[in-house]
Amino acid sequence: METAGRAQAARDRVPRVDPYGFERPEDFDYAAYEEFFSAYLVILTRRAIKWSKLLKGGGGVQKSMTVKRYIRKGVPLEHRARVWMGVSGAQAQMDRNPGYYHRLLRGERNDSLEEAIRTDVTRTFPDNVRFRKGAEPCLQRTLYNVLLAYGHHNRGVGYCQGMNFIAGYLILITKNEEEAFWLLDALVGRILPDYYSPSMLGLRMDQEVLGELVRTKLPAVAALMDGHGVLWTLVVSRWFICLFVDVLPVETVLRVWDCLFSEGSKIIFRVALTLIKQHQAFILEATSVPDICERFKEITRGAFVTECHAFMQKIFSEPGSLSMAHITRLRERCRAKLLAQG
């Protein structure tokens, strides 16, 4: 009874809708979250003071070792848009192209592009109150605009499923559709090239790279996958396509994205390897393909990923050295392999 009472008290204190507009699921553990967040709030407050001092005086955010260290320890919500815009190069692109975003929206019509986007926009984040038609303002229109402008801007990509979730998060953080557009361009055009192209070569290549990294660092897991004939795309494609959106808890995704904008795509491999290594014993208990797939879903839930600050500390202490040079070599090898397969 005492445990039930604590759980109900926590449910009464913790808002049903999170700060980003997402409704908490029915099975949400309010008591565990409250315990975590009370400790995390102390960290957030300390980081906010440090960031305010660092950013005092306005101006853009430039990459430096200090900024990199600060970002790894977490960017407060009130500074996140400004930091992402600075370290990703999106702010510089926007400054060099005044009025460009709005010209894209006034450009020529493309019925197939508009229909593809319109179809997905209505299905984006049904659990977020800000994306519902009755919301004021309703972010569905903002999301449509950002995706349409990007489709005109990058005709080689146009629109690809998965981009709606990424753009949606960018809109929630920036609260500015032009900034969301330029951040989307930083991700799709520079940080993750060929992830969303028609061939999705970059996406397929990076899933192969993860397989190679697992083979080197966690050979027992690689052997399990090989033994059951499981392709990595079957279990991790959503991790890569949606950059962990709707995979990990919101705050954890945002902490990962802090580093993604600052350090590039190697962060995706760090997160993936940490998840797999932390739960290696659990994964190795799998006895069938469906069992493997279910276990890979399970490892993205629970306290390990909810406690985002400890999780981020873990990804930089685990899996050891993971340089972009090493990833680049693996990408070249995997790219050649995929092109040879046709």
Side-chain angles (χ1 to χ4, degrees), residues 215-231:
R215 195 173 305 283
T216 303
K217 296 174 180 293
L218 303 164
V221 175
L224 175 77
M225 300 286 282
D226 291 343
H228 287 277
V230 179
L231 298 175

Side-chain angles (χ1 to χ4, degrees), residues 20-206:
Y20 308 100
F22 291 98
E23 292 179 321
R24 304 194 194 277
E26 286 297 318
D27 60 352
F28 187 75
D29 190 335
Y30 285 86
Y33 178 79
E34 187 177 48
E35 184 178 349
F36 149 69
F37 195 75
S38 63
Y40 187 45
L41 193 57
V42 176
I43 296 167
L44 285 174
T45 304
R46 189 167 64 242
R47 299 313 307 166
I49 293 168
K50 288 181 177 289
W51 272 104
S52 293
K53 288 179 181 176
L54 183 71
L55 299 176
K56 190 168 59 179
V61 181
Q62 302 296 324
K63 284 188 177 183
S64 68
M65 288 307 295
T66 299
V67 168
K68 178 180 176 180
R69 189 174 73 250
Y70 272 42
I71 286 173
R72 285 187 173 190
K73 292 180 179 179
V75 182
L77 178 57
E78 63 265 31
H79 299 307
R80 193 163 255 145
R82 181 178 165 192
V83 172
W84 285 5
M85 289 291 289
V87 298
S88 68
Q91 185 67 53
Q93 285 291 98
M94 189 169 82
D95 292 345
R96 279 195 293 266
N97 296 277
Y100 176 67
Y101 172 72
H102 296 288
R103 287 197 298 276
L104 288 170
L105 290 178
R106 294 193 299 268
E108 62 185 82
R109 297 288 301 271
N110 182 326
D111 291 342
S112 61
L113 175 66
E114 291 174 23
E115 182 57 33
I117 293 170
R118 197 174 289 114
T119 299
D120 270 6
V121 160
T122 57
R123 298 189 295 217
T124 304
F125 300 140
D127 57 338
N128 191 298
V129 297
R130 298 175 193 170
F131 281 88
R132 290 185 185 153
K133 285 189 175 177
E136 187 55 52
C138 174
L139 293 183
Q140 284 190 17
R141 183 68 200 183
T142 306
L143 178 60
Y144 176 83
N145 285 348
V146 171
L147 293 172
L148 181 64
Y150 194 77
H152 288 312
H153 166 69
N154 188 341
R155 295 177 188 274
V157 169
Y159 171 71
C160 174
Q161 285 188 329
M163 287 168 59
N164 53 321
F165 294 106
I166 294 166
Y169 260 47
L170 295 174
I171 290 164
L172 288 171
I173 296 304
T174 61
K175 300 180 176 64
N176 180 305
E177 62 182 78
E178 187 175 7
E179 290 183 358
F181 165 81
W182 287 111
L183 284 169
L184 185 65
D185 181 52
L187 283 171
V188 177
R190 298 193 299 280
I191 297 172
L192 304 167
D194 283 336
Y195 263 47
Y196 305 97
S197 63
S199 70
M200 289 187 157
L201 181 59
L203 179 76
R204 291 158 50 214
M205 178 177 65
D206 276 1

Side-chain angles (χ1 to χ4, degrees), residues 279-294:
H279 300 286
Q280 180 175 203
F282 174 70
I283 292 168
L284 292 175
E285 291 172 358
T287 56
S288 66
V289 173
D291 195 9
I292 291 170
C293 294
E294 185 55 37

Side-chain angles (χ1 to χ4, degrees), residues 184-296:
L184 185 65
D185 181 52
L187 283 171
V188 177
R190 298 193 299 280
I191 297 172
L192 304 167
D194 283 336
Y195 263 47
Y196 305 97
S197 63
S199 70
M200 289 187 157
L201 181 59
L203 179 76
R204 291 158 50 214
M205 178 177 65
D206 276 1
Q207 290 173 153
E208 290 282 329
V209 168
L210 177 62
E212 292 298 315
L213 290 168
V214 171
R215 195 173 305 283
T216 303
K217 296 174 180 293
L218 303 164
V221 175
L224 175 77
M225 300 286 282
D226 291 343
H228 287 277
V230 179
L231 298 175
W232 280 100
T233 188
L234 188 63
V235 292
V236 300
S237 60
R238 192 166 180 80
W239 297 8
F240 286 83
I241 292 171
C242 295
L243 306 179
F244 299 104
V245 172
D246 274 2
V247 173
L248 297 177
V250 179
E251 194 63 45
T252 307
V253 174
L254 295 173
R255 288 290 301 270
V256 169
W257 283 23
D258 290 343
C259 299
L260 178 63
F261 282 116
S262 170
E263 300 182 46
S265 56
K266 69 179 179 182
I267 191 71
I268 300 172
F269 300 107
R270 281 190 175 277
V271 173
L273 287 170
T274 300
L275 285 169
I276 296 166
K277 183 173 183 180
Q278 177 70 19
H279 300 286
Q280 180 175 203
F282 174 70
I283 292 168
L284 292 175
E285 291 172 358
T287 56
S288 66
V289 173
D291 195 9
I292 291 170
C293 294
E294 185 55 37
R295 286 171 190 265
F296 268 86

